[in-house]
Amino acid sequence: MSQTVDRALSILPLLAQGPADLGQVAERLGVHKSTALRLLRTLHEHGLVYRQQDQRYRLGARLFALAQEAVENLDIREIAHPHLVALNEQCGHTVHLAVHEENEVLYIDKVESRYPVRMYSRIGKPVAITVAAVAKLLLADLPEAERRAIAERLDFPMYTPRSIPNAVAFLRELATVREQGWATDLGGHEESINCIGAPIRGADGRVVAAMSVSAPNVVVTAEELLTLLPLVRRTADAITRDYSGKDTV
């Protein structure tokens, strides 16, 4: 039975490359056409493959529906949390996880620092979208037209002298983040707080969440915090692997 299942499952990546006829499937599996036909019929009954009018087979709509349902039921917070805790244990600083929802970037998880100084951020609270590292990462992944539309409707409060002042500067910052694959907020929201972040991607390569490490100047300087960037990026890559089921490049 296990060999039958293995053969049936081997058909799916074959058809992912494009439609194939019975002979091609049998040849790829190394089986007789009758065996290949029996496997294809079983997959067809479950909606996983579809027979076209030209008698070639392709992947069925049911397979795509299952894949979409699986993605929608993945809980990025649950998957990321152990990694965030491990990072916090290594560096001691506050670690955040954020997502982009309904025109806001929201914190969905937080692991507090080990030192007495606490940040005011709260789970479920929107971030300062024009300056936060996680916001830059999430917005930088959007198509250019969407990035421009967002930048045009945003206000640009000057929280500190280092805040991003206008849409032009914001779009330039997003372009830099998109190219380099990481982001910072070095005193842009609070002069005494610095932050570095990295993106978490789904199976399609798109950014689905962003994580960051933040610390006050009284604990570490901005330069010292930046030395943690490789560790932060490795953590984001590990979350990406667990979430997407794919190795990062």
Side-chain angles (χ1 to χ4, degrees):
M1 175 62 96
S2 61
Q3 186 181 41
T4 301
V5 174
D6 181 69
R7 284 172 172 169
L9 292 177
S10 297
I11 292 173
L12 300 179
L14 166 62
L15 298 185
Q17 299 173 19
D21 61 27
L22 177 61
Q24 291 171 315
V25 173
E27 182 180 358
R28 179 66 66 88
L29 296 182
V31 299
H32 193 273
K33 284 186 178 181
S34 61
T35 301
L37 181 59
R38 185 167 63 250
L39 295 172
L40 285 164
R41 281 176 173 170
T42 300
L43 292 172
H44 184 271
E45 288 172 3
H46 289 277
L48 302 181
V49 305
Y50 176 79
R51 189 174 66 177
Q52 302 177 157
Q53 289 186 347
D54 62 4
Q55 305 305 307
R56 292 189 303 165
Y57 293 85
R58 62 168 171 79
L59 294 180
R62 177 61 178 158
L63 185 64
F64 296 107
L66 289 171
Q68 182 63 32
E69 185 176 352
V71 169
E72 290 175 352
N73 287 327
L74 283 176
D75 186 341
I76 185 64
R77 183 181 183 276
E78 181 179 350
I79 292 170
H81 187 74
H83 295 281
L84 305 183
V85 171
L87 177 59
N88 170 267
E89 290 174 349
Q90 287 181 271
C91 70
H93 306 313
T94 300
V95 183
H96 288 107
L97 180 70
V99 296
H100 184 209
E101 289 185 356
E102 297 181 356
N103 299 320
E104 291 184 322
V105 174
L106 306 170
Y107 289 126
I108 61 171
D109 202 2
K110 177 183 181 182
V111 184
E112 291 280 6
S113 65
R114 293 201 297 264
Y115 36 81
V117 181
R118 290 289 185 267
M119 296 187 63
Y120 291 114
S121 56
R122 294 288 184 272
I123 295 175
K125 181 180 178 181
V127 311
I129 198 168
T130 60
V131 292
V134 289
K136 295 173 187 176
L137 289 160
L138 289 159
L139 299 184
D141 189 61
L142 298 174
E144 182 178 0
E146 195 169 346
R147 296 199 306 270
R148 290 188 176 279
I150 290 174
E152 288 172 3
R153 67 171 179 260
L154 286 175
D155 294 323
F156 290 88
M158 293 300 293
Y159 302 104
T160 78
R162 294 187 176 183
S163 299
I164 295 177
N166 53 53
V168 173
F170 187 60
L171 289 170
R172 187 163 55 242
E173 176 76 357
L174 294 186
T176 298
V177 169
R178 187 182 180 92
E179 181 178 356
Q180 68 190 13
W182 51 275
T184 63
D185 169 15
L186 304 180
H189 188 218
E190 298 178 61
E191 286 190 87
S192 61
I193 302 291
N194 297 305
C195 177
I196 55 175
I200 297 162
R201 300 180 184 274
D204 60 358
R206 298 297 304 274
V207 175
V208 296
M211 56 154 297
S212 64
V213 169
S214 303
N217 286 329
V218 294
V219 176
V220 293
T221 65
E223 291 74 20
E224 290 170 332
L225 187 65
L226 282 167
T227 64
L228 295 176
L229 183 59
L231 177 60
V232 173
R233 299 186 75 179
R234 286 197 298 271
T235 301
D237 287 346
I239 298 170
T240 292
R241 285 194 295 272
D242 283 356
Y243 181 76
S244 70
K246 297 173 64 176
D247 288 336
T248 55
V249 178

